[in-house]
Amino acid sequence: MESVYKTYCASYDHALQLVESYRRDPRLQEEILDTLNATVPHTGASDLSFFLVMPVQRVTKYPLLLGKILENTPSSASAHSALQAAVRAMAQVNANINEYKRRREVATKYNKAEHLTLRDRLARLNTHSIAKKTTRLSRLLMHEAGIVAKTEDKEYDDLEEKFQCVASSVATLKENVASYLGHFEAFLLPTPHQCDLQMEQGPAQQQRRLAELLQGSVLPEFRQRVHRLVWQPLCSLSDMLEGPQQLVRKRLDKLLDYEEIQERKSEVGSVSYDEEAAMNTYLAINDLLVAELPRFNQVALQLLGQILRSFSALQLDLAAQALHHAEKELEQV
């Protein structure tokens, strides 16, 4: 239950934005209202937000409801200890949902920053941001030089290494497939079979008929299938990697801030509100990546494997078709 509510609550604000966009389309809004009136007229709901908020409200009411039941249950009752455990469990579920939602909001914030225009990026530059970037660069150089120790996180480091391996594999495969398709297009340009050979029969005419068949239907169909089953999924997978890559880069920035603040805290004994927020941001990004990179790596590897299998199968099928048509031509000799 917790995982379902986590995903739902983290996506709730985005769902409300979609509902708001629906309101700007009168025809769509009318269809939604007609559907609501036909299916749930007793609710009096005027839009989907009436229903979207229900799960969010419900999960927060569970601890209150259980707590009220516990208050009215004698301590001597056999169910008392079970109710206490249920109250604690639901309180923890709500805390976990809120923490997950906070992490997702941090991730969304930095993913949006990745798509800022150059003008927006320049507008955000100020003395403070430049000083912060300079401090980060200085600390990164000290890491590389071994002057200061880097914060070790074996679990995260292993996950990131695997993620970077997947990302590198996808980028390399995308580059190779693009090159393959480019060469394939160049291969289709010459059309010697369209020339008049001044020969009525013989191997030359067989070659001409075979080339005409391959270039007229077999090869163009193969090209379309490669685009649909290999290139497009590969591009989608590459796009899917952008969000985690941005978070990985942002985690490094926040780690450098975190280490700097930790040093200052050990010297002074306290930190400012903004510094505390910066430390919490690093922890949120780190926890989110540690929680989600394993699943992401697994899914990305599965997709990559499927793309490679599709590519291999398409080429085997092309070879089989070419051989089949060539054998048919030879049978006519």
Side-chain angles (χ1 to χ4, degrees), residues 1 5 8-9 50-66 90 93-94 97:
M1 182 185 77
Y5 271 109
Y8 186 90
C9 292
F50 177 86
F51 300 98
L52 290 174
V53 75
M54 286 183 175
V56 179
Q57 293 175 335
R58 185 168 297 160
V59 73
T60 58
K61 288 179 179 178
Y62 285 146
L64 301 175
L65 176 61
L66 290 169
M90 285 310 304
V93 166
N94 273 268
I97 290 172

Side-chain angles (χ1 to χ4, degrees), residues 196-205 208:
D196 188 1
L197 300 178
Q198 301 293 324
M199 298 179 184
E200 295 183 0
Q201 296 297 330
Q205 287 293 349
R208 177 180 177 177

Side-chain angles (χ1 to χ4, degrees), residues 22-36:
Y22 297 159
R23 293 195 184 107
R24 293 192 288 270
D25 186 336
R27 189 174 64 178
L28 179 58
Q29 183 65 12
E30 184 179 353
E31 290 181 5
I32 292 173
L33 286 174
D34 289 343
T35 302
L36 293 177

Side-chain angles (χ1 to χ4, degrees), residues 8-250:
Y8 186 90
C9 292
S11 306
Y12 175 67
D13 291 339
H14 179 63
L16 290 182
Q17 292 175 3
L18 284 177
V19 171
E20 186 62 32
S21 69
Y22 297 159
R23 293 195 184 107
R24 293 192 288 270
D25 186 336
R27 189 174 64 178
L28 179 58
Q29 183 65 12
E30 184 179 353
E31 290 181 5
I32 292 173
L33 286 174
D34 289 343
T35 302
L36 293 177
N37 291 331
T39 55
V40 283
H42 58 282
T43 62
S46 59
D47 60 31
L48 294 174
S49 60
F50 177 86
F51 300 98
L52 290 174
V53 75
M54 286 183 175
V56 179
Q57 293 175 335
R58 185 168 297 160
V59 73
T60 58
K61 288 179 179 178
Y62 285 146
L64 301 175
L65 176 61
L66 290 169
K68 184 61 69 175
I69 295 173
L70 180 62
E71 287 178 11
N72 293 277
T73 301
S75 58
S76 58
S78 59
H80 191 270
S81 59
L83 282 169
Q84 285 181 318
V87 170
R88 289 193 297 269
M90 285 310 304
Q92 187 60 50
V93 166
N94 273 268
N96 293 343
I97 290 172
N98 289 333
E99 178 60 20
Y100 180 80
K101 188 172 184 293
R102 186 178 73 86
R103 294 175 188 173
R104 295 302 311 174
E105 287 171 349
V106 170
T108 301
K109 170 187 173 183
Y110 289 113
N111 281 333
K112 285 181 178 178
E114 179 70 7
H115 298 93
L116 291 175
T117 64
L118 179 59
R119 177 179 295 180
D120 291 333
R121 291 176 186 274
L122 291 174
R124 296 177 67 170
L125 281 178
N126 52 46
T127 306
H128 173 71
S129 63
I130 293 173
K132 187 163 63 173
K133 293 180 185 299
T134 303
T135 302
R136 287 173 181 169
L137 179 59
S138 174
R139 190 163 192 89
L140 185 61
L141 292 174
M142 287 192 289
H143 277 173
E144 298 298 326
I147 299 174
V148 295
K150 180 182 177 181
T151 301
E152 295 291 337
D153 188 336
K154 184 70 167 57
E155 182 181 12
Y156 171 80
D157 291 343
D158 290 344
L159 289 171
E160 188 199 345
E161 182 179 4
K162 188 172 184 178
F163 171 76
Q164 297 296 1
C165 181
V166 172
S168 176
S169 299
V170 170
T172 301
L173 181 60
K174 186 178 178 182
E175 181 181 343
N176 289 340
V177 171
S179 177
Y180 178 92
L181 289 172
H183 289 304
F184 192 82
E185 293 291 343
F187 176 76
L188 291 178
L189 289 177
T191 54
H193 56 277
Q194 295 180 356
C195 300
D196 188 1
L197 300 178
Q198 301 293 324
M199 298 179 184
E200 295 183 0
Q201 296 297 330
Q205 287 293 349
Q206 288 179 316
Q207 168 63 23
R208 177 180 177 177
R209 287 194 298 270
L210 179 60
E212 189 172 9
L213 177 63
L214 291 178
Q215 291 204 300
S217 60
V218 176
L219 293 178
E221 181 185 350
F222 170 76
R223 176 181 55 193
Q224 292 176 358
R225 294 174 72 191
V226 170
H227 269 279
R228 187 177 71 255
L229 300 176
V230 177
W231 179 248
Q232 291 177 3
L234 189 57
C235 289
S236 297
L237 179 56
S238 179
D239 293 341
M240 191 174 74
L241 291 169
E242 290 182 4
Q245 284 174 324
Q246 168 65 8
L247 274 185
V248 167
R249 290 192 293 268
K250 186 54 64 175

